């Protein structure tokens, strides 16, 4: 990996971050807080939240077997995807490389930040080759985005190829593991020490059932986490979100149960879907959704919308012609989908 100082935008390296009242005073023993122009009434929402979410990071560190200093928390993964662009990519000069097809937010953030987005097409098994990906990089490539399990394809990317990219690329490799709790492959979290350029993204939005509270996690070296902390909004994770996430962490056995039942339901739904007259092919998946090629995706999509059933039409996405992406729901929800498609060609 190149030295961080070479990767980071010069203005961000020089930046003196905003120092909030809650940053400057860090002890817990005080009882009179007259430092932040808060209202003394309406406890507890009157107080600004902890800008570094220490209590929550303490629990996440234990659960994920990392150090609290290796954790960045953001307003959804969206924030953890956007901040590396703002920290590392000079607008109009630098570029990033990503596989295609993949999660749409990487390209949106690239466009918003005026950073060139280079796509490398996956093969017909939705896999990539490290050498092809690395060949798309140049001296101005700051970030590589990999998503495993990948969205919308559902499969895990080849671990050996990911490791080659991590070893050979001088910039940051961001591996989005939003669906890792549903996968048979282990997370890359255990490899953070070995790969100083690795950033692993995870989220409370999928297995943890908390898409509504907006909480995303980035795991990386303390040096990289410090860069992200330096440029984030001071109170990026609000108090209600921190509180709800703390409570979720204490009932993590429930998450295990949800995952187990969704995996069981996924097997049943995919087997039944494969037998539908409109189904041409089902792709293997390591996520809580699967990709299915059907007779005519736009027509089937509209037919389902008409019945009040919404799936994702991925027809226009590279390599996904006539494909629908189907999220695994509850058993009755999945049965509603299957029944609606019974007898449809
Ligand atoms: C759903 C999803 C996320 C989650 O995004 P949040 O902003 O945390 O809700 C991240 N990455 C991928 C690939 C996803 O599919």
């Amino acid at each position: 990996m190149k030295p961080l100082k070479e990767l980071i935008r010069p203005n961000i390296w020089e930046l003196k971050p905003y120092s909030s009242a809650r940053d400057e005073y860090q002890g817990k023993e005080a009882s009179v807080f007259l430092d932040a122009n808060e209202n003394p009434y309406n406890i507890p929402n009157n107080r600004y939240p902890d800008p570094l979410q220490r209590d929550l990071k303490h629990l996440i560190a234990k659960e994920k077997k990392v150090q609290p200093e290796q954790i960045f928390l953001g307003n959804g993964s969206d924030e953890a995807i956007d901040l590396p662009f703002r920290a590392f990519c000079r607008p109009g000069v630098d570029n990033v490389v990503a596989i295609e097809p993949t999660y749409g937010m990487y390209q949106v953030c690239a466009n918003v930040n005026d950073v060139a987005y280079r796509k490398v097409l996956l093969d017909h098994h939705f896999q990539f080759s490290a050498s092809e990906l690395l060949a798309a990089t140049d001296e101005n490539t700051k970030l590589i985005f990999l998503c495993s399990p990948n969205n919308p394809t559902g499969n895990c990317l080849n671990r050996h190829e990911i490791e080659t990219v991590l070893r050979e690329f001088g910039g940051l490799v961001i591996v989005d593991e939003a669906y890792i709790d549903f996968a048979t492959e282990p997370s890359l979290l255990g490899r953070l020490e070995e790969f100083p350029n690795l950033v692993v993204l995870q989220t409370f939005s999928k297995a943890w059932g908390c898409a509504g509270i907006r909480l995303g996690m980035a795991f990386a070296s303390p040096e990289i986490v410090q860069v992200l902390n330096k440029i984030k909004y001071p109170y990026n994770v609000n108090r209600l979100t921190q509180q709800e996430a703390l409570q979720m962490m204490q009932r993590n056995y429930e998450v295990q149960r949800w995952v187990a039942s969704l995996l069981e339901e996924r097997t049943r739904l995919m087997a039944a879907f494969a037998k539908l007259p409109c189904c041409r092919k089902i792709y293997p998946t390591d996520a809580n959704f699967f990709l299915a090629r059907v007779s005519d995706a736009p027509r089937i999509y509209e037919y389902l919308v008409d019945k009040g059933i919404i799936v994702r039409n991925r027809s226009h996405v590279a390599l996904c012609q006539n494909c629908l992406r189907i999220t695994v729901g509850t058993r009755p929800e999945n049965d509603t989908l299957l029944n609606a498609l019974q007898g449809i060609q």
Side-chain angles (χ1 to χ4, degrees):
M1 180 190 177
K2 293 181 190 164
L4 213 51
K5 187 171 184 196
E6 252 174 69
L7 288 171
I8 199 167
R9 289 166 68 197
N11 61 311
I12 302 297
W13 183 263
E14 300 297 336
L15 180 77
K16 191 178 173 314
Y18 173 75
S19 183
S20 68
R22 285 293 169 273
D23 276 321
E24 289 180 6
Y25 176 74
Q26 296 202 357
K28 267 199 169 158
E29 316 75 39
S31 57
V32 180
F33 286 100
L34 305 177
D35 57 344
N37 298 344
E38 295 154 337
N39 189 322
Y41 306 113
N42 200 34
I43 293 166
N45 281 344
N46 60 331
R47 297 295 173 195
Y48 281 105
D50 177 1
L52 289 172
Q53 310 98 19
R54 290 176 188 81
D55 293 346
L56 187 50
K57 282 180 184 169
H58 179 74
L59 282 194
I60 294 174
K62 270 206 284 187
E63 165 98 12
K64 303 285 182 181
K65 301 186 173 58
V66 299
Q67 297 303 312
E69 299 74 33
Q70 293 173 302
I71 307 173
F72 168 85
L73 297 181
N75 187 337
S77 307
D78 295 339
E79 183 178 8
I81 292 165
D82 186 52
L83 290 188
F85 281 97
R86 296 172 40 179
F88 296 100
C89 301
R90 292 165 297 175
V93 177
D94 290 328
N95 67 75
V96 306
V97 169
I99 54 169
E100 174 75 7
T102 194
Y103 187 45
M105 268 313 280
Y106 316 140
Q107 177 153 26
V108 170
C109 287
N111 293 346
V112 167
N113 289 287
D114 191 19
V115 170
Y117 183 83
R118 301 180 173 183
K119 306 171 185 180
V120 177
L121 202 61
L122 296 174
D123 67 20
H124 283 272
H125 301 291
F126 298 137
Q127 288 295 344
F128 79 108
S129 100
S131 58
E132 232 182 288
L133 206 71
L134 291 164
T137 66
D138 63 18
E139 70 282 1
N140 289 336
T141 305
K142 296 296 180 65
L143 315 172
I144 289 180
F145 283 93
L146 298 172
C147 184
S148 183
N150 191 24
N151 179 2
T153 61
N155 61 301
C156 280
L157 298 176
N158 186 303
R159 181 55 59 97
H160 182 259
E161 300 299 305
I162 297 179
E163 289 181 20
T164 303
V165 171
L166 280 162
R167 267 192 303 273
E168 296 188 9
F169 180 56
L172 302 195
V173 181
I174 301 178
V175 182
D176 189 338
E177 294 189 339
Y179 300 99
I180 196 68
D181 304 273
F182 302 103
T184 46
E185 286 262 345
S187 165
L188 275 167
L189 272 186
R191 314 291 296 277
L192 280 175
E193 316 283 346
E194 191 179 337
F195 301 115
N197 57 345
L198 171 62
V199 180
V200 174
L201 303 184
Q202 293 187 7
T203 178
F204 273 69
S205 296
K206 308 289 158 60
W208 285 81
C210 287
I213 75 172
R214 309 307 303 133
L215 187 62
M217 301 169 273
F219 301 90
S221 71
E223 293 74 25
I224 294 173
V225 168
Q226 269 170 25
V227 172
L228 302 181
N229 281 337
K230 187 171 167 178
I231 65 172
K232 75 182 185 70
Y233 289 155
Y235 304 110
N236 61 327
V237 180
N238 72 67
R239 202 190 62 78
L240 296 172
T241 296
Q242 292 188 42
Q243 179 185 291
E244 185 60 30
L246 278 168
Q247 284 172 9
M248 275 312 297
M249 300 291 305
Q250 279 147 1
R251 319 187 260 128
N252 58 1
Y253 52 88
E254 225 172 320
V255 176
Q256 320 289 315
R257 280 210 297 264
W258 291 337
V259 169
S261 107
L262 287 171
L263 290 180
E264 207 173 291
E265 200 42 35
R266 183 181 77 186
T267 306
R268 186 188 75 92
L269 173 60
M270 286 172 74
F273 199 97
K275 295 200 187 106
L276 292 172
C278 70
C279 181
R280 297 289 175 271
K281 183 180 167 80
I282 299 256
Y283 291 91
T285 181
D286 257 306
N288 66 334
F289 63 83
F290 64 93
L291 196 65
R293 179 157 282 146
V294 296
S295 51
D296 182 348
R299 176 171 57 80
I300 304 281
Y301 172 80
E302 287 302 335
Y303 167 82
L304 288 172
V305 169
D306 224 49
K307 304 223 151 203
I309 302 166
I310 315 300
V311 297
R312 199 91 201 267
N313 180 11
R314 298 284 80 188
S315 248
H316 56 283
V317 171
L319 305 179
C320 298
Q321 296 86 344
N322 276 322
C323 285
L324 300 176
R325 192 193 69 191
I326 294 157
T327 307
V328 179
T330 61
R331 181 178 260 256
E333 288 172 330
N334 301 333
D335 282 340
T336 305
L337 172 74
L338 291 168
N339 290 336
L341 288 175
Q342 232 39 266
I344 303 294
Q345 289 289 321

